[in-house]
Amino acid sequence: IHPTSVTSDRIGRACREQWVALAQNKFASNVIEKLLRIATFETRNAILQSTVFEKTGLEAIMGDGFGNFVLQALIETCTDVNEFRDIAERVRALLPNCPYGHKIEAKLKSKRFLA
């Protein structure tokens, strides 16, 4: 087991059920962004489930000055085409009412998958 996987899992367990609140914190949001780059599937999925696939979580982070960066990091680190489509569909539905919509839309448009 790689040390970053162990660290990722420990952080994931410690922060369980708090991802939205942490994403809205100036310092914790930076930690989540970094964590997304090293996270195991389980940890990344836990973050994704509570921040994107729960409507209240998604609305909260999209409208937050720090949370929107976590969403952008989720988009950037997405490696599965179907997952990306699910994220994009949910996010685009809320973009018109989002103060950071232009940044998030730019991240969605810049994401490319290799065929």
Side-chain angles (χ1 to χ4, degrees):
I1 297 177
H2 198 275
T4 56
S5 297
V6 173
T7 302
S8 167
D9 285 344
R10 285 184 181 160
I11 293 171
R13 284 191 302 275
C15 297
R16 184 178 52 239
E17 315 259 336
Q18 299 175 39
W19 295 116
V20 173
L22 292 170
Q24 295 174 305
N25 177 280
K26 179 178 182 175
F27 303 106
S29 66
N30 290 324
V31 173
I32 295 172
E33 286 179 59
K34 300 283 186 200
L35 178 63
L36 286 168
R37 294 177 193 344
I38 65 163
T40 60
F41 173 80
E42 292 79 14
T43 300
R44 186 179 183 290
N45 194 47
I47 296 169
L48 187 63
Q49 290 300 319
S50 62
T51 57
V52 174
F53 294 135
E54 300 231 353
K55 188 175 180 189
T56 56
L58 182 58
E59 290 172 344
I61 68 167
M62 282 183 72
D64 184 76
F66 305 115
N68 85 87
F69 287 107
V70 171
L71 177 57
Q72 290 179 53
L74 274 164
I75 293 166
E76 189 177 307
T77 59
C78 186
T79 58
D80 180 83
V81 174
N82 293 323
E83 178 183 273
F84 176 75
R85 285 185 189 134
D86 288 346
I87 293 170
E89 181 180 310
R90 292 167 191 268
V91 167
R92 284 194 173 114
L94 299 175
L95 282 177
N97 301 322
C98 177
Y100 306 99
H102 62 285
K103 292 179 181 180
I104 297 167
E105 178 67 24
K107 189 62 74 172
L108 288 169
K109 287 181 179 178
S110 71
K111 183 69 181 178
R112 298 286 179 253
F113 286 94
L114 299 175

